[in-house]
Amino acid sequence: GDSVTQMEGPVTLSEEAFLTINCTYTATGYPSLFWYVQYPGEGLQLLLKATKADDKGSNKGFEATYRKETTSFHLEKGSVQVSDSAVYFCALSSGNTPLVFGKGTRFSVIA
Amino acid sequence: EAGVVQSPRYKIIEKKQPVAFWCNPISGHNTLYWYLQNLGQGPELLIRYENEEAVDDSQLPKDRFSAERLKGVDSTLKIQPAELGDSAVYLCASSLGRTGTDTQYFGPGTRLTVL
């Protein structure tokens, strides 16, 4: 079945550092890909998404490009802030199937 | 616009007791989801509704779990009797449509502790 594998955390960076959180997937067909973020004490929020190969999703300075050839959707941000500290989930959905999530990556930024 | 509302936010019960969670989706959203999130894991789907019809409940442990979505709006998820292994966060989400590209909006979740 469909699955998502993302890098294990926790990840800790200093402010203004460059962030990459790796995500690879296995799916039949052509899934849509998502990054969700969960801030402390809050529910999951959609951060960005891409629905076809080579699409780039972006939001709040974060970007991820749908790479069909490497089955990847890595999340990047050029300069992180303390407010970016959260748990990040990569997810996919094929057609009418429900979201399949990775295990999440806990990310912390130190000032 | 109000987001997905869930209650209670926290619940502590003893094993073998019943428990119920309530979810109110975003107005106009036809599709509603219940997810289970264990500690250190991503959410896993328990059941999906399109209006009042359960269209995917293959992962719902039907011996102890039940759910309903009367009138296609609010939904209730029940566990009876609860077991120690049911301790987790129960998330509700809703979306306008049912395709994979439709954004799902999540509530804050109910954290259940079974003693």
Side-chain angles (χ1 to χ4, degrees), chain B residues 29-93:
Chain B
H29 280 196
N30 298 320
T31 307
L32 183 146
Y33 312 78
W34 283 103
Y35 288 88
L36 166 69
Q37 186 177 16
N38 286 305
L39 188 64
Q41 303 292 319
E44 298 176 358
L45 182 73
L46 287 172
I47 188 168
R48 175 175 60 163
Y49 283 92
E50 289 177 14
N51 298 303
E52 64 274 10
E53 181 183 0
V55 296
D56 185 353
D57 63 355
S58 57
Q59 301 304 310
L60 190 72
K62 298 182 183 63
D63 57 336
R64 297 184 300 108
F65 286 66
S66 64
E68 61 183 10
R69 190 184 184 198
L70 300 176
K71 301 181 182 179
V73 182
D74 295 7
S75 178
T76 302
L77 178 68
K78 298 178 181 178
I79 309 175
Q80 181 170 13
E83 297 179 351
L84 294 176
D86 296 331
S87 295
V89 177
Y90 292 82
L91 297 169
C92 180

Side-chain angles (χ1 to χ4, degrees), chain A residues 21-57:
Chain A
I21 301 178
N22 290 336
C23 171
T24 57
Y25 67 90
T26 302
T28 55
Y30 302 98
S32 296
L33 302 174
F34 306 82
W35 276 100
Y36 277 82
V37 58
Q38 189 170 32
Y39 298 105
E42 299 184 16
L44 283 162
Q45 304 173 24
L46 178 67
L47 181 60
L48 52 85
K49 71 178 184 182
T51 58
K52 62 181 187 297
D54 300 325
D55 267 2
K56 177 185 285 187

Side-chain angles (χ1 to χ4, degrees), chain A residues 41-100:
Chain A
E42 299 184 16
L44 283 162
Q45 304 173 24
L46 178 67
L47 181 60
L48 52 85
K49 71 178 184 182
T51 58
K52 62 181 187 297
D54 300 325
D55 267 2
K56 177 185 285 187
S58 61
N59 186 24
K60 299 182 180 181
F62 289 88
E63 293 183 340
T65 300
Y66 189 140
R67 301 286 189 199
K68 186 170 180 289
E69 63 277 12
T70 55
T71 61
S72 64
F73 192 54
H74 304 322
L75 182 68
E76 297 181 335
K77 187 175 184 183
S79 176
V80 296
Q81 305 300 314
V82 172
S83 58
D84 294 326
S85 299
V87 181
Y88 292 82
F89 292 91
C90 185
L92 68 80
S93 179
S94 297
N96 290 336
T97 61
L99 283 170
V100 174

